[in-house]
Amino acid sequence: MSLPIVDTFGRKHTYLRISLTDKCNLRCTYCMPKEDMQFMPSKWLMQADEIKALAEIFVGMGVDKIRLTGGEPLIRKDVGQIVSDLGKLPTSLTLTTNAVFIDQFIGNLRDAGVNSLNVSLDTLREDRFIAVTKRDHFTKTLHNIRLLLAEGFVVKINMVVMKGINEDEVNDFVRMTLEQPNLHVRFIEFMPFKGNQWDMSKIVSYNDLLSEINNEFDFQQLTGELQDTAHRFQVTGGAGTFGIIGTVTHPFCSGCNRIRLTADGKLKNCLFDTSEVDLLTPLRAGQDVRTLIYAHFHKKHFAHGGHADFTEKHAKSDYEQNRNMIAIGG
Ligand code: SAM
Ligand code: SF4
């Protein structure tokens, strides 16, 4: 067992998010830029055995939770193999997905010990789904969410709330949690990334979300852990929960335990930090990558990758230097 990955603020990093691809079967406007999206050539991507090798190294450094993400992780042809390999590690394994291909992989996921998934769904209206994702997979997505629930999986729905797009559906999403103990909804503040037309005025803030929900429901805040991204709540008498991920207006950096590995094997110590360290090339050359990992986390900033507050004027030039979300892995 190697030493844990601890930064200069004493934060221990135990949660690894691995992006399997920067490609996707949807085109969500807030995630993938409309223009200038250049996908990685497949030879740049970590192969299944390389993902396994890197995951084992991180587990040896204290990682106890792995999330597969992307792009859309389930569009990778070898995702069944990857899930099966990582399912054998002594960690919890989970996935963030748009659920379009869930019906094809539900057996693999169960066999690998996955029992909880995050699923993106930003609207309960078909026309809006098509407008946001640019693809006609609404019925399939809802069918697969129901399938996951029927098969006993815990489903956390991620809804990115955007002004003038879907903010009027927040309470419809809260209502979904009333009867279903395995269903949790998380409202995410729209975050700025390269090419996603972000603007502070498009955010529905943490406080605005709470007051909108308060117009219709009585609810209580639930106790959480320091590393939780979402502040969680439950409607009085409700079965499931809802949460708010207020990255922009309510940052949760003080408890950050996250490590990100992009599909091309670059290590990121924060979603918003533009600096990256290549782990794949040295791994392929047979070198020990652990010193690179420790050094990169030693440089981790306290909040938002060291960039200016998003509300400041110069923030835009900061996040436009970063990758777009689909190429980082959400
Ligand atoms: N394709 C999978 C999915 O959609 O769940 C996994 C990848 S996606 C990049 C991961 C998460 O990032 C999704 O829940 C998505 O809603 C979120 N996301 C993407 N762009 C975002 C943005 N600009 N602001 C907030 N959340 C965003
Ligand atoms: Fe694809 Fe997920 Fe990004 Fe939507 S949010 S474009 S489903 S990667």
Side-chain angles (χ1 to χ4, degrees):
M1 190 81 178
S2 312
L3 290 171
I5 306 164
V6 183
D7 69 7
T8 54
F9 304 95
R11 294 174 296 195
K12 195 169 156 190
H13 291 77
T14 54
Y15 179 12
L16 174 64
R17 304 169 71 106
I18 306 176
S19 173
L20 297 188
T21 175
D22 63 342
K23 299 185 185 62
C24 190
N25 43 355
L26 301 185
R27 296 282 181 276
C28 304
T29 52
Y30 51 78
C31 177
M32 189 193 289
K34 216 169 17 182
E35 284 135 25
D36 297 336
M37 182 64 208
Q38 296 193 336
F39 295 106
M40 298 166 191
S42 41
K43 65 174 182 225
W44 288 12
L45 300 185
M46 296 181 287
Q47 301 304 299
D49 58 330
E50 293 164 340
I51 291 171
K52 180 171 173 243
L54 284 168
E56 283 169 350
I57 291 167
F58 279 104
V59 170
M61 298 168 89
V63 160
D64 59 12
K65 177 174 178 182
I66 296 180
R67 174 176 301 282
L68 301 178
T69 180
E72 173 49 40
L74 296 182
I75 65 169
R76 249 185 92 137
K77 300 240 171 344
D78 54 358
V79 67
Q81 181 64 50
I82 295 168
V83 164
S84 158
D85 288 345
L86 301 190
K88 296 188 182 101
L89 298 175
T91 60
S92 77
L93 178 65
T94 183
L95 204 83
T96 303
T97 173
N98 58 37
V100 174
F101 289 149
I102 274 293
D103 47 336
Q104 294 175 35
F105 291 102
I106 201 157
N108 294 72
L109 294 169
R110 194 189 301 101
D111 292 348
V114 175
N115 51 30
S116 168
L117 292 98
N118 290 6
V119 175
S120 291
L121 181 72
D122 305 306
T123 173
L124 298 171
R125 302 187 194 179
E126 186 160 18
D127 55 335
R128 287 188 180 174
F129 183 96
I130 294 170
V132 171
T133 68
K134 312 287 179 216
R135 293 292 183 270
D136 190 2
H137 290 314
F138 180 69
T139 312
K140 190 91 199 282
T141 304
L142 282 197
H143 169 270
N144 281 342
I145 290 173
R146 288 192 193 108
L147 181 66
L148 282 169
L149 290 169
E151 296 281 329
F153 286 84
V154 173
V155 178
K156 296 182 186 164
I157 304 266
N158 285 345
M159 176 198 194
V160 179
V161 192
M162 293 164 289
K163 243 181 214 152
I165 307 283
N166 58 356
E167 75 202 294
D168 55 342
E169 293 186 62
V170 164
N171 284 334
D172 296 339
F173 275 73
V174 173
R175 207 165 293 114
M176 291 198 302
T177 68
L178 297 182
E179 307 287 334
Q180 183 50 265
N182 280 353
L183 185 71
H184 308 278
V185 168
R186 289 122 50 91
F187 301 111
I188 309 181
E189 285 182 348
F190 179 30
M191 297 185 279
F193 294 98
K194 186 176 175 182
N196 77 349
Q197 320 283 314
W198 182 86
D199 194 297
M200 197 68 185
S201 68
K202 295 179 186 163
I203 286 192
V204 182
S205 71
Y206 180 100
N207 289 339
D208 289 347
L209 284 162
L210 278 186
S211 72
E212 171 64 14
I213 298 165
N214 195 35
N215 286 335
E216 202 167 321
F217 299 100
D218 283 330
F219 57 85
Q220 301 82 40
Q221 181 156 8
L222 304 172
T223 47
E225 306 287 338
L226 187 61
Q227 66 269 22
D228 289 345
T229 49
H231 287 183
R232 292 190 311 125
F233 305 85
Q234 188 167 44
V235 173
T236 309
T241 66
F242 69 90
I244 303 181
I245 303 182
T247 314
V248 178
T249 69
H250 274 65
F252 37 81
C253 305
S254 56
C256 186
N257 64 348
R258 281 168 286 280
I259 304 164
R260 291 189 147 82
L261 201 50
T262 64
D264 55 344
K266 306 285 193 304
L267 179 69
K268 277 178 89 74
N269 61 22
C270 169
L271 195 51
F272 297 106
D273 198 321
T274 50
S275 70
E276 300 177 349
V277 169
D278 181 9
L279 297 187
L280 185 56
T281 309
L283 181 88
R284 285 180 177 171
Q287 292 162 12
D288 185 350
V289 297
R290 284 173 301 178
T291 40
L292 296 171
I293 298 169
Y294 290 126
H296 194 49
F297 275 81
H298 200 70
K299 288 191 295 191
K300 178 164 171 155
H301 293 277
F302 181 68
H304 286 163
H307 293 305
D309 189 280
F310 296 125
T311 54
E312 287 179 26
K313 263 194 247 148
H314 56 283
K316 189 166 169 54
S317 59
D318 286 343
Y319 62 76
E320 285 292 346
Q321 309 297 316
N322 201 358
R323 292 178 180 230
N324 40 59
M325 179 61 133
I326 198 161
I328 298 174

